[in-house]
Amino acid sequence: MVFFSFNEIKKKKETLIGLVLGQILSLLSTSIGFTTSELVRKGINAPTSQSFLGYVLLAIVYGSIMLYRRSVIKAKWYYYFLLALVDVEGNFLVVKAFQNTSMTSVMLLDCWAIPCVLLLTWVFLKTRYSLMKISGVVVCILGVVMVVFSDVHAGDRSGGRNPVKGDFLVIAAATLYSVSNTSEEFFVKNADRVELMSFVGLFGAIIGAIQISIFERDALIAIHWSTEAVLPYIGIAIGVFLFYTILTVLLKTNGTAMFTLSLLTSDMWAVLIRIFAYHEKADWLYYLAFATTAIGLIIYSMKDNDQERQRGGEVVDEQRKLFDEEDGDSLRARLIGAST
């Protein structure tokens, strides 16, 4: 029976693509995190500026595609502005959290994001989760709990300079990420992926520029802009661009919950990087945690795909009607104005 279920997973292209894309995103997230840590280690403390170039790159690439297509904008611009604001501040808060609390505490970010995403998708996207999927979520969380215990067992007890503040920043960032990712799933399925990335990049760059000019101007002036300082910024920009590009594909095919669960393995990938790049030793619980989280992801993706796809299609049709009704109201208003 288990063998049949495994073969069934292999036959489902979207599920396999989702698993692979999720791990690519997890690796990108880990790589961006390590690059950010290197900047902090060099005394560079400018969290908003680190993601700024990534938003600029999104705006240029996807904005050019929109102009070439001459696409009609399907959603209101202020929706994208609010989404970009939430996204920028989520990135800002999580970097500040790393500066105030321990790595062990920040790992709770992944766990807190899961119930937030499940609640938001259940309320706003009408997603219904089977017992099998909930079981997969529980197994994934168990894997992260193992990582936390492994840190404690290995003696990683550094609390940071302000643990309480850092923990609150972690919770706030997780909540903002949940809102951002759920909103992105909605727009990917109801508007257009290129349009979403164009406006998130544009408004993210504008909001980031304003925030940098107010809070990080002195920090940027104080930086000695050598090759060692410039290359990490370029690397983060490319990483952010690839991350959001792949993210929209995963959200459309597998949803926000699958993406959030996939990021749980970023902690394990971080351990592997420390082992091979920095030659650090890892506790045996790390390997067990990685395997547990991987099993949880497979369990989550196993059942009820057809039923959820049908339900999701009905919800998408209803949500698209809202866009059509808004467009129809705008068209009627323009016709009335022209006639008068």
Side-chain angles (χ1 to χ4, degrees):
M1 193 70 179
V2 176
F3 181 77
F4 174 79
S5 298
F6 182 76
N7 286 337
E8 186 179 11
I9 295 174
K10 290 179 68 175
K11 294 176 183 178
K12 295 183 178 179
K13 187 176 179 180
E14 287 186 0
T15 301
L16 289 176
I17 291 175
L19 289 171
V20 173
L21 291 181
Q23 291 315 296
I24 293 175
L25 287 173
S26 184
L27 278 170
L28 283 172
S29 176
T30 305
S31 301
I32 293 171
F34 268 94
T35 306
T36 300
S37 299
E38 288 298 318
L39 289 175
V40 173
R41 191 176 300 177
K42 294 175 182 176
I44 299 176
N45 182 16
T48 305
S49 65
Q50 293 174 20
S51 57
F52 171 74
L53 291 178
Y55 288 116
V56 172
L57 199 56
L58 286 172
I60 293 174
V61 174
Y62 286 101
S64 300
I65 295 174
M66 274 197 70
L67 292 175
Y68 177 78
R69 289 181 178 178
R70 298 183 180 180
S71 304
V72 177
I73 299 175
K74 297 181 180 180
K76 305 296 183 181
W77 66 268
Y78 47 82
Y79 292 151
Y80 291 124
F81 175 82
L82 293 174
L83 173 58
L85 178 63
V86 170
D87 198 71
V88 170
E89 299 312 319
N91 289 331
F92 173 81
L93 290 178
V94 75
V95 175
K96 298 298 291 184
F98 272 106
Q99 297 172 1
N100 287 276
T101 191
S102 66
M103 183 70 177
T104 303
S105 296
V106 175
M107 285 179 183
L108 296 176
L109 167 67
D110 300 326
C111 296
W112 176 251
I114 291 172
C116 292
V117 164
L118 295 180
L119 178 63
L120 289 172
T121 53
W122 179 72
V123 173
F124 295 104
L125 301 183
K126 309 301 181 184
T127 305
R128 297 295 178 261
Y129 298 99
S130 66
L131 182 62
M132 177 65 74
K133 290 190 177 296
I134 294 175
S135 300
V137 171
V138 172
V139 174
C140 285
I141 293 176
L142 180 61
V144 177
V145 171
M146 288 182 182
V147 175
V148 175
F149 275 108
S150 178
D151 280 338
V152 175
H153 182 260
D156 180 18
R157 299 176 182 269
S158 58
R161 63 187 185 187
N162 195 336
V164 176
K165 178 182 177 181
D167 290 344
F168 276 109
L169 289 174
V170 169
I171 294 173
T175 305
L176 290 178
Y177 277 142
S178 303
V179 173
S180 173
N181 295 333
T182 304
S183 302
E184 287 170 355
E185 180 182 348
F186 175 83
F187 286 114
V188 163
K189 293 181 176 178
N190 295 278
D192 181 70
R193 188 174 73 90
V194 174
E195 176 180 305
L196 171 65
M197 290 293 92
S198 299
F199 281 103
V200 167
L202 174 63
F203 290 127
I206 293 173
I207 295 169
I210 295 173
Q211 193 159 306
I212 290 169
S213 64
I214 296 173
F215 299 108
E216 300 179 7
R217 182 173 54 186
D218 294 337
L220 291 177
I221 294 175
I223 296 174
H224 176 64
W225 290 104
S226 62
T227 303
E228 293 182 354
V230 173
L231 287 180
Y233 271 88
I234 296 175
I236 290 176
I238 296 173
V240 168
F241 174 80
L242 293 174
F243 184 90
Y244 282 99
T245 298
I246 298 173
L247 170 62
T248 54
V249 177
L250 181 62
L251 291 179
K252 189 166 186 176
T253 57
N254 297 85
T256 309
M258 182 65 177
F259 161 67
T260 306
L261 292 173
S262 296
L263 285 189
L264 291 180
T265 59
S266 62
D267 302 322
M268 292 71 167
W269 290 122
V271 174
L272 293 178
I273 291 176
R274 292 208 301 262
I275 292 173
F276 292 103
Y278 297 96
H279 305 290
E280 297 181 8
K281 292 184 178 180
D283 193 76
W284 64 270
L285 273 175
Y286 274 115
Y287 303 103
L288 181 61
F290 189 94
T292 302
T293 305
I295 291 171
L297 283 170
I298 294 173
I299 292 174
Y300 178 86
S301 61
M302 280 179 67
K303 287 281 187 177
D304 299 333
N305 284 335
D306 295 335
Q307 184 178 358
E308 289 198 358
R309 188 179 293 112
Q310 181 180 0
R311 230 189 253 122
E314 294 173 357
V315 172
V316 167
D317 290 339
E318 292 179 4
Q319 292 168 344
R320 279 176 179 166
K321 289 178 181 178
L322 296 177
F323 284 98
D324 295 338
E325 288 174 2
E326 286 187 358
D327 293 339
D329 291 339
S330 300
L331 178 59
R332 282 193 292 272
R334 287 196 296 269
L335 290 175
I336 294 172
S339 63
T340 55

